Amino acid sequence: MQRRLLLSTVLALTALSAGAESPVVRPYAPPPASRIGGLMHISIVDRTNGAELPVYRHRGEYWVAGRPGARYAIRARNAMGERVMAVMSVDGVNVVTGETAGVGQNGYVFGPRERSDITGWRKSDSQIAAFEFAAAGNSYASRTGRPDDVGVIGVAMFRERRPEPPPPVVTPYPSRDEYSNRERRSETPSSMADARAKAAPPAGSADMAAESSAGAMARQSAPSPSLGTAHGRRETSYVGKTTFERASSQPDEVIRIRYDSRENLVAAGVIPMPQRWPRPSGPSGPSPFPGSDPGYVPDPPARY
């Protein structure tokens, strides 16, 4: 019993030693990410199984592999503690308005740390037409006469302009004459009342400030137009409306993700080909264990 256990241990150690003496050198390939972005974390989700598609980086660009006929979503997570606006495009078309996409157009506003899946072209406040991978000729952009930018997903992100705080109230130091006048007992009550009247704010200023604050809140709650486009099957998806003032006319960050079929990405070198091991010589036909070398120690060569 002890001998058999010792023998099996030696065999295992020998196999380990043999593997260590002749390592197979493979080129290093970093694992693909699934989310990219700084202000917001952007990923592409296969809605069939809910998995985030791997994002491959190739020659300075990000790529994902899609399956024809599969529905997908653009998943966006706001990584900031403030509201962020995301103008999204698919194949060069604004996903909200259907216009040829531009960074100055309407988009989605995400609250602090909010996450949402954008699942299709916005048709109304309650419906979308699902995003679906399809042949380039059947894409919505191609069918509407805009085929030049098929195969790319874009997200332009904007920070919100913060209201400027009111200037601090500066109280001037009293002059020496005022000090001396206060010390005089000959000061009449009417003069003191005049002094208080001069220091007091003008009548109605508090009401004006309140009206200004109410006007700012009304501007924030005013609706903004949100139009839809047509493609894919209709689904229920509710959305609200709000106002958003951008801190800058230029995006604070732009994400660009290109996509194609897996076969095309493998052929283009975007997705590395799996390494194929040569089959050992043996009987013809399929092998149940193609990665194993059957047999034990071969006979030594003939003497000469």
Side-chain angles (χ1 to χ4, degrees):
M1 189 68 171
Q2 293 181 353
R3 183 177 181 183
R4 180 178 300 176
L5 179 61
L6 179 62
L7 180 60
S8 63
T9 304
V10 171
L11 283 174
L13 289 177
T14 304
L16 254 171
S17 175
E21 289 177 358
S22 57
V24 177
V25 180
R26 298 184 183 180
Y28 172 73
S34 59
R35 308 169 190 172
I36 58 178
L39 293 180
M40 303 184 74
H41 299 160
I42 306 299
S43 59
I44 309 302
V45 179
D46 186 340
R47 296 179 61 193
T48 304
N49 52 22
E52 295 181 350
L53 300 180
V55 180
Y56 300 92
R57 186 174 177 86
H58 181 70
R59 296 181 178 177
E61 293 191 297
Y62 296 104
W63 294 81
V64 294
R67 295 183 297 106
R71 291 179 299 164
Y72 72 93
I74 304 172
R75 176 168 293 173
R77 299 174 177 85
N78 185 359
M80 309 300 293
E82 59 184 288
R83 297 205 308 171
V84 175
M85 180 179 182
V87 179
M88 298 185 178
S89 69
V90 172
D91 298 343
V93 179
N94 187 303
V95 303
V96 175
T97 66
E99 302 170 274
T100 299
V103 296
Q105 297 168 353
N106 292 332
Y108 290 103
V109 176
F110 292 77
R113 313 294 177 184
E114 183 181 359
R115 191 198 85 172
S116 182
D117 287 356
I118 308 304
T119 56
W121 311 94
R122 175 57 53 184
K123 294 292 295 174
S124 67
D125 292 349
S126 60
Q127 282 193 333
I128 55 92
F131 292 139
E132 183 176 321
F133 288 120
N138 293 329
S139 65
Y140 173 73
S142 295
R143 295 176 64 182
T144 55
R146 296 170 287 182
D148 294 340
D149 297 298
V150 171
V152 63
I153 298 168
V155 182
M157 288 157 274
F158 295 85
R159 291 178 180 269
E160 187 172 17
R161 181 184 297 279
R162 296 184 178 181
E164 297 182 0
V169 179
V170 179
T171 304
Y173 289 100
S175 63
R176 294 182 179 179
D177 294 339
E178 291 176 341
Y179 275 120
S180 60
N181 291 336
R182 290 178 183 177
E183 292 176 356
R184 295 177 183 178
R185 296 181 179 180
S186 61
E187 188 174 18
T188 61
S190 61
S191 63
M192 295 176 63
D194 293 341
R196 286 196 298 269
K198 291 179 181 178
S205 62
D207 296 337
M208 293 172 61
E211 290 177 2
S212 176
S213 176
M217 294 180 63
R219 286 192 299 270
Q220 289 183 357
S221 60
S224 59
S226 179
L227 306 177
T229 59
H231 190 62
R233 75 180 68 172
R234 296 289 187 96
E235 297 179 0
T236 301
S237 173
Y238 293 98
V239 66
K241 296 180 181 179
T242 186
T243 57
F244 187 92
E245 186 177 359
R246 311 176 196 214
S248 172
S249 60
Q250 296 300 318
D252 294 285
E253 186 179 7
V254 176
I255 296 295
R256 166 184 157 117
I257 302 176
R258 300 184 64 181
Y259 65 89
D260 206 337
S261 66
R262 183 176 182 85
E263 293 77 12
N264 289 346
L265 296 188
V266 170
V270 175
I271 300 179
M273 285 283 293
Q275 186 172 358
R276 298 182 179 275
W277 296 88
R279 286 194 174 189
S281 59
S284 59
S287 172
F289 301 101
S292 303
D293 189 3
Y296 293 99
V297 179
D299 294 335
R303 293 181 180 274
Y304 56 88

